[in-house]
Amino acid sequence: MGGFFNTLLFGIYPYVALAVLALGSVVRYDREPYTWRSGSSQLLRRRQLIWGSVLFHIGVLAIFAGHVVGLLTPIWIWDMIGVSHGTKQMIAIGLGGVAGIMGIIGATLLVHRRFFDPRVRRASSFADNMIILILWIQLALGLATIRISLQHLDGEEMVKFMAWAQGIFTFNPEASSYVADASIVFKLHIALGLTIFVLFPFTRLVHMLSVPVRYLWRPGFQVVRTKRRAAE
């Protein structure tokens, strides 16, 4: 029975989550383009919002980039450039720990603002409240994995998750078996991360796909006002 649920959660659910993420985002953008935004409440308790938002976004973006590079870079590349599994483990703990602390401090400020400021609470939807709480829990789980990782400084535990993630993207039917004996904290962290993918198209998180990168190379323009002489 345990093997069945492990396969269901870590062998099948990842494909469900990725499919919902991709198709749901496309459908929402096509059918509800005017809801494709973060729903800012920046006029309310602005200073706390700025601090919380900056810390949260820097932390989360750093964590996301670290997960993508750390999990999806083939193991042979790390071996080729001479980075041992133990060294990679320590880098992940150090950089991930700093980013995680920044992220959870920012998320805590945002949660406090959203739930304890009456005006912000009235302007918030159920989805807004739910997703920030889920993200806070996910960050807390990520930080909790550091204590476990410190007990496996040889890096072999991390190799299991690399093999699992790369197995999912290469459609390896044995991918789920790589994390079968992983700590429950890691499993909860992975499962909640996949659930965030499922919720992504239906929440304010979609604004992550609309980063205005094009403004970096868009040519500048100048607005010129002219005075028109009134008709005589």
Side-chain angles (χ1 to χ4, degrees), residues 7-76:
T7 301
L8 180 66
L9 196 55
F10 303 110
I12 299 175
Y13 188 41
Y15 296 109
V16 175
L18 291 172
V20 173
L21 170 66
L23 296 177
S25 298
V26 170
V27 170
R28 179 173 176 180
Y29 189 79
D30 180 60
R31 298 197 174 187
E32 300 180 9
Y34 296 109
T35 69
W36 195 274
R37 56 190 178 87
S38 62
S40 175
S41 58
Q42 62 181 343
L43 297 179
L44 306 174
R45 208 161 183 166
R46 180 178 175 83
R47 179 173 296 181
Q48 185 172 352
L49 172 64
I50 291 175
W51 276 104
S53 183
V54 169
L55 288 171
F56 174 76
H57 282 86
I58 292 177
V60 168
L61 289 175
I63 291 170
F64 181 76
H67 277 59
V68 170
V69 173
L71 293 175
L72 298 182
T73 301
I75 297 174
W76 65 266

Side-chain angles (χ1 to χ4, degrees), residues 62-142:
I63 291 170
F64 181 76
H67 277 59
V68 170
V69 173
L71 293 175
L72 298 182
T73 301
I75 297 174
W76 65 266
I77 292 182
W78 296 107
D79 294 337
M80 182 181 66
I81 61 179
V83 178
S84 67
H85 300 325
T87 300
K88 183 175 180 294
Q89 178 81 67
M90 292 305 300
I91 293 174
I93 291 174
L95 297 182
V98 172
I101 291 172
M102 291 179 62
I104 202 165
I105 290 175
T108 300
L109 290 172
L110 296 177
V111 168
H112 178 271
R113 174 180 175 273
R114 190 166 293 280
F115 283 89
F116 293 94
D117 186 306
R119 297 178 303 167
V120 178
R121 188 169 62 247
R122 285 195 295 269
S124 302
S125 66
F126 172 78
D128 292 339
N129 295 336
M130 173 193 66
I131 200 63
I132 190 60
L133 283 176
I134 290 176
L135 291 172
W136 190 96
I137 294 171
Q138 179 69 340
L139 287 166
L141 285 171

